[in-house]
Amino acid sequence: MANSLPRPLTAVRNAQLPGGRVVDLSFASGVVTGITEHRPGTEPGPGPTLDLAGRLLLPAPAEPHAHLDKAGSFDAINPKLGDLGAAIDAWRCHATGMSVESIAERARAQALAMLAAGTTAIRSHVDVLGDGDADLEDVTRGARALVQVRAELAGLMDIQLVALAGPHCPDHHVEAVLDAGVDLVGGAPHLAPDPAADLARLLAIAQRRGIGADLHADENLFGPVTLDAYARAVRGWPDDRPRTAGHCVRLGTLDAARRDAIITEVKAADLGIVTLPITNLYLQGWEHAVATPRGLAPVRELLDAGVRLGAGADNVRDPFNPVGRGDALETASLLVTAGHLSPEEAYGLVSTGARSVLGLPAAGPSVGAQADFLTIGAVNLVDAIATAPADRVVIHRGRVVAITETRRELPALSVTAS
């Protein structure tokens, strides 16, 4: 039987919203054009319609910080478990032998798994490969693989790419990766011998090219702080030029006065922040055998300050995180557990907040919003986050792009009334 996806829709019927309302939604040109209360027995309008039979309808998640070029490499590398430095070393050793085809194969598989879980937009960092003497064909392997995957999945999901440049990566290598089709400048200035100089040179490349930046910022419990300088440097950027900082773990270990002062600068610069609970919880604190501190950006304080804040899964089954499902509901669950957010706040960070950080139009059950939805077999939002049911239908721009159905069989029980 031929695959019927993607399948255009003009409406969904009998959809339960998180607040309990049951509604019908109409679509046109990939956006929501109408929302009405569902009335059982009414006939659907013209055009293809999906009856959700009361299933929960949520704004589709977005992934604001992935590493598709690394995803699924854990088994091949078999790295020693450890902290950020150990993960970087393991990855560098493995990366020398990768081909464009092998990177694309893993990246494609991970992106499709995330699509099936409900994610309809991904921003992925991609390493600028090789050392200063490497030729440009070698340097751009990862970029060319992910540009290929982005083209293959166009129309099914939105993919943005960031050039992840290490501190010893020469500028012309970053330029080559951008020339290969990557969208934004990235890096990790806090890992450089001179963090301020590396921050300045990465932002200078972005300025020179007239593009945005998405930097790994202060992915450590102690040590350099670059987030404040980053915020000051981009405060004068045009409003439509992306600027994002991922991780921001160090911000969560500063004293309250300095933390709050930096958050004020972040807010003034409209710098988007991405918190990444699963990888930061895994990588941070290995050196502390007693009262082990855990790594997490101060999500409550950032939310309360009105900072644009999203949350993502980061690494999935690679040296930086041996586990993870690439499921936004897993990230939301960790934000409830480790970040002490409400379920509604947590899901907001992996959906509405993530799309805001990515500069994407709003999506969800609102007239004029992009028709990107996750519909899931759960009774409410708390149930969805807690149990993460596999049964899901994913809608991107008004088209069904993924369907997952499961079958469960249990023994019959003889229950005696008391």
Side-chain angles (χ1 to χ4, degrees):
M1 178 178 175
N3 192 322
S4 62
L5 301 183
R7 183 190 309 162
L9 293 174
T10 58
V12 295
R13 292 166 46 82
N14 198 7
Q16 182 196 164
L17 301 182
R21 290 176 63 203
V22 180
V23 298
D24 300 338
L25 296 90
S26 56
F27 308 146
S29 302
V31 301
V32 178
T33 55
I35 304 174
T36 58
E37 300 298 320
H38 176 68
R39 291 181 173 81
T42 57
E43 291 297 319
T49 300
L50 177 64
D51 191 327
L52 295 180
R55 288 159 60 103
L56 187 66
L57 184 78
L58 301 170
E63 173 53 66
H65 186 120
H67 289 269
L68 294 178
D69 57 335
K70 298 180 173 73
S73 63
F74 183 85
D75 290 345
I77 299 173
N78 193 25
K80 178 181 178 181
L81 301 184
D83 61 10
L84 179 60
I88 291 173
D89 290 343
W91 173 251
R92 282 178 176 165
C93 290
H94 178 75
T96 58
M98 298 186 307
S99 66
V100 172
E101 292 74 18
S102 67
I103 299 168
E105 182 178 5
R106 287 186 291 96
R108 183 187 305 110
Q110 180 61 32
L112 288 173
M114 295 168 74
L115 180 66
T119 294
T120 59
I122 298 173
R123 179 182 288 175
S124 177
H125 298 255
V126 55
D127 280 19
V128 181
L129 292 166
D131 56 27
D133 297 325
D135 63 49
L136 296 185
E137 284 292 305
D138 188 49
V139 166
T140 60
R141 280 174 294 145
R144 286 182 286 128
L146 265 60
V147 167
Q148 174 187 325
V149 171
R150 180 179 63 189
E152 291 170 351
L153 301 183
L156 301 179
M157 66 192 320
D158 300 312
I159 297 180
Q160 302 173 3
L161 300 176
V162 185
L164 178 54
H168 303 295
C169 169
D171 288 6
H172 72 280
H173 284 184
V174 185
E175 299 272 7
V177 167
L178 295 170
D179 289 342
V182 169
D183 306 297
L184 304 171
V185 174
H190 61 283
L191 298 178
D194 186 341
D198 196 49
L199 173 68
R201 69 112 182 184
L202 292 170
L203 295 180
I205 295 171
Q207 285 276 62
R208 201 159 60 236
R209 309 254 326 189
I211 60 177
D214 186 339
L215 302 180
H216 289 56
D218 310 337
E219 190 182 354
N220 42 38
L221 296 169
F222 308 97
V225 177
T226 64
L227 185 58
D228 49 353
Y230 184 12
R232 289 192 294 270
V234 300
R235 187 165 180 176
W237 280 17
D239 290 345
D240 60 352
R241 184 176 297 172
R243 58 273 211 167
T244 310
H247 296 288
C248 305
V249 173
R250 184 73 171 95
L251 187 64
T253 68
L254 298 174
D255 66 78
R258 189 176 182 200
R259 177 201 67 204
D260 292 347
I262 293 175
I263 289 175
T264 297
E265 294 199 85
V266 167
K267 170 68 173 172
D270 194 28
L271 180 60
I273 302 295
V274 178
T275 185
L276 302 158
I278 191 168
T279 300
N280 289 150
L281 290 168
Y282 170 71
L283 286 176
Q284 303 297 324
W286 283 79
E287 67 274 29
H288 298 272
V290 177
T292 305
R294 310 320 308 272
L296 197 66
V299 289
R300 170 54 59 202
E301 290 76 13
L302 289 163
L303 266 179
D304 288 350
V307 169
R308 286 191 301 120
L309 180 62
D314 199 5
N315 298 82
V316 178
R317 302 224 61 228
D318 64 28
F320 298 80
N321 174 26
V323 293
R325 302 192 305 271
D327 183 353
L329 294 176
E330 180 179 42
T331 300
S333 179
L334 286 168
L335 290 170
V336 173
T337 304
H340 293 168
L341 298 186
S342 71
E344 293 75 17
E345 289 170 327
Y347 193 78
L349 292 196
V350 301
S351 56
T352 305
R355 290 186 69 88
S356 174
V357 168
L358 296 181
L360 296 173
S366 177
V367 173
Q370 187 165 305
D372 277 38
F373 295 99
L374 166 62
T375 171
I376 188 166
V379 298
N380 54 35
L381 181 60
V382 175
D383 182 41
I385 294 173
T387 63
D391 284 73
R392 306 182 189 194
V393 176
V394 183
I395 298 169
H396 175 53
R397 298 186 184 181
R399 300 194 304 167
V400 178
V401 292
I403 300 172
T404 302
E405 297 175 331
T406 62
R407 177 177 179 271
R408 175 178 292 175
E409 187 173 351
L410 293 170
L413 298 181
S414 177
V415 179
T416 303
S418 58

